[in-house]
Amino acid sequence: MTTIHLKTKIKAPIKKVFDLSRSIDFHLHSAKRTKEKAIDGITSGLIGLNETVTWKGKHFGFYLKHQSKITSFDSPYHFTDEMIKGHFISFKHQHLFRKTKYGTEMIDILTYETPYGIFGKIADSLMLKTHLTEFLMFRNQHIKLHLEEKKDTQ
């Protein structure tokens, strides 16, 4: 089992950060470099509790599908998406939000388990964990920049 834990400080109200984090449309915009598309389930707008989305994106030179479901939801403090179908044994992404004196602290806790035994563990340590960390950091920076550039975030 691998866990990625990230914190991002954003000078914007918690509700705006929460909603942008669950926006299918914004995810598509921020994940253009992996050619992400929402191909089934909720394919635009804001995803909510018990809703699913199937993503198709290019990772490591291959188009891969990943279907997830929102399994926990408490606006604007947290939501969790978990893999239903995909290339992992398990994949759980917790999105946590805390109101702070400067705005919002957004916390990602991604826990996953790779298939293929020792070969999956090697691939994880050599490239997968780095890839997923960079993917999340890139997305978080897009959220941060988008909201901090807006003058109406207060």
Side-chain angles (χ1 to χ4, degrees):
M1 202 67 108
T2 302
T3 300
I4 298 169
H5 191 270
L6 298 174
K7 292 183 178 182
T8 307
K9 294 179 180 180
I10 302 173
K11 293 178 184 171
I14 190 170
K15 181 71 169 140
K16 288 187 181 257
V17 178
F18 180 86
D19 284 345
L20 199 58
S21 296
R22 64 189 184 101
S23 168
I24 301 295
D25 303 303
F26 192 80
H27 181 82
L28 294 171
H29 172 72
S30 69
K32 282 184 180 177
R33 67 184 185 162
T34 55
K35 301 179 181 171
E36 297 276 321
K37 293 184 187 219
I39 60 169
D40 197 18
I42 302 300
T43 58
S44 66
L46 301 178
I47 194 164
L49 183 62
N50 295 322
E51 294 181 325
T52 64
V53 60
T54 302
W55 300 102
K56 181 179 177 184
K58 194 170 189 177
H59 299 270
F60 305 111
F62 299 97
Y63 279 99
L64 304 172
K65 291 181 184 177
H66 180 96
Q67 183 181 45
S68 48
K69 179 179 182 176
I70 304 301
T71 58
S72 174
F73 189 92
D74 181 19
S75 177
Y77 304 105
H78 73 82
F79 69 94
T80 300
D81 62 86
E82 296 186 59
M83 182 190 75
I84 299 171
K85 294 179 187 172
H87 294 276
F88 294 88
I89 292 172
S90 65
F91 189 98
K92 181 178 182 177
H93 186 179
Q94 298 174 72
H95 306 256
L96 309 170
F97 306 86
R98 290 190 197 142
K99 187 175 181 177
T100 65
K101 61 183 175 188
Y102 55 81
T104 303
E105 181 177 55
M106 181 172 69
I107 302 163
D108 291 278
I109 302 170
L110 174 59
T111 306
Y112 63 91
E113 187 174 358
T114 57
Y116 312 119
I118 190 69
F119 298 108
K121 288 180 176 61
I122 292 169
D124 186 34
S125 66
L126 290 177
M127 62 185 170
L128 183 59
K129 183 176 182 181
T130 299
H131 174 74
L132 290 172
T133 301
E134 289 175 354
F135 185 85
L136 287 175
M137 289 173 65
F138 187 79
R139 180 177 179 276
N140 291 353
Q141 283 305 304
H142 265 71
I143 291 169
K144 178 180 175 72
L145 290 173
H146 179 80
L147 290 173
E148 289 183 353
E149 287 177 358
K150 300 280 184 188
K151 295 193 187 308
D152 65 346
T153 58
Q154 304 303 320

